Amino acid sequence: MKLLITGFDPFGNDSINPAWEAVKLLPLKIEGVEIIKLQIPTVFKESIDILLKGIKEHKPEVVICVGQAGGRYDISIERVAINVDDARIKDNKGNQPIDEPVYSDGENAYFSTLPIKAMVEEIKKLNIPASISNTAGTFVCNHIMYGLLYHINKFSLAKKGGFIHVPFIPQQVLDKKNMPSMNLKSIARGLEASIKGIYENNEDLKISGGKEF
């Protein structure tokens, strides 16, 4: 199996993005999976363009996009992406779309085609916090997840795809009181475990992964 995994470049004033830094720590082979790494910009539209070039070049069966979710304490496997860009802040090139569709001919939402519950359980085996998330937001993370799943559904560019959010790392929260973080090695180990969960589970586990709010 060939798997393409992406991480965003640093956003705004941050000098580091734990998503990409963790991706860089991954080995080039996990179980029977060949790992291809790709950095993408935190920019609307351009991020999808670069992702699609990477997919067309490497022809992976599975694609995972990884992004930062400051404020979350665990590794979050996203369930769904929605067809809306609604940016509270500007991206790295000053774009700030408001209430715009990602693709005008796309569905209202696309669900991850990864075995998300199996991935969570594999991460938890390492005593690393992980859970299913039911919102990827409306910024570039949701944008890239929706774009990926749109192209999987419309053009079969890969067999499976989805998105993972990771927390801040400690150096990002030095001046952020009571803000959760996770060390970079644990994030990388969690990503590696999630890939193992994909490799070992063609179908997802039938276990509870819901939330009350």
Side-chain angles (χ1 to χ4, degrees):
M1 179 191 293
K2 188 183 291 186
L3 183 147
L4 176 68
I5 185 165
T6 74
F8 286 109
D9 62 2
F11 173 64
N13 295 323
D14 284 338
S15 61
I16 191 170
N17 190 318
W20 177 239
E21 295 304 317
V23 166
K24 288 197 297 183
L25 292 178
L26 294 176
L28 296 178
K29 192 153 190 179
I30 299 171
E31 300 284 329
V33 184
E34 177 188 349
I35 306 299
I36 300 155
K37 307 170 188 180
L38 176 68
Q39 186 180 46
I40 56 177
T42 310
V43 179
F44 288 99
K45 296 184 180 178
E46 186 179 330
S47 54
I48 294 177
D49 291 341
I50 291 177
L51 173 64
L52 294 180
K53 287 179 183 177
I55 293 173
K56 290 173 183 176
E57 177 183 353
H58 297 288
K59 297 178 173 57
E61 289 96 327
V62 180
V63 181
I64 303 174
C65 297
V66 184
Q68 169 186 285
R72 297 190 189 182
Y73 76 94
D74 63 358
I75 295 175
S76 306
I77 314 297
E78 297 294 343
R79 190 194 299 262
V80 62
I82 59 175
N83 193 13
V84 63
D85 291 330
D86 189 9
R88 180 180 59 82
I89 51 179
K90 295 179 180 180
D91 68 14
N92 275 350
K93 288 197 173 176
N95 303 302
Q96 192 176 5
I98 296 174
D99 295 338
E100 295 180 10
V102 184
Y103 284 100
S104 59
D105 64 339
E107 300 293 334
N108 289 334
Y110 290 111
F111 285 89
S112 172
T113 50
L114 302 175
I116 58 175
K117 294 181 178 180
M119 294 162 70
V120 166
E121 292 306 304
E122 204 63 41
I123 297 169
K124 285 181 176 179
K125 289 179 184 178
L126 301 178
N127 293 318
I128 297 172
S131 67
I132 303 298
S133 167
N134 297 305
T135 176
T138 55
F139 196 52
V140 185
C141 290
N142 176 79
H143 180 83
I144 195 71
M145 181 181 179
Y146 186 92
L148 168 62
L149 295 173
Y150 170 91
H151 283 277
I152 287 176
N153 276 268
K154 289 274 189 180
F155 307 110
S156 301
L157 288 191
K159 292 180 180 179
K160 294 181 180 180
F163 193 95
I164 299 175
H165 265 124
V166 301
F168 281 141
I169 54 178
Q171 68 194 72
Q172 292 178 289
V173 301
L174 294 176
D175 59 351
K176 297 179 176 69
K177 187 176 181 180
N178 299 323
M179 182 69 71
S181 66
M182 183 180 292
N183 71 74
L184 194 58
K185 287 185 179 180
S186 291
I187 294 174
R189 289 176 65 223
L191 293 180
E192 186 171 348
S194 73
I195 292 170
K196 181 181 177 184
I198 295 169
Y199 180 70
E200 294 181 349
N201 294 272
N202 288 324
E203 301 293 333
D204 206 358
L205 304 178
K206 193 70 172 179
I207 58 175
S208 175
K211 295 181 179 178
E212 289 71 43
F213 55 87

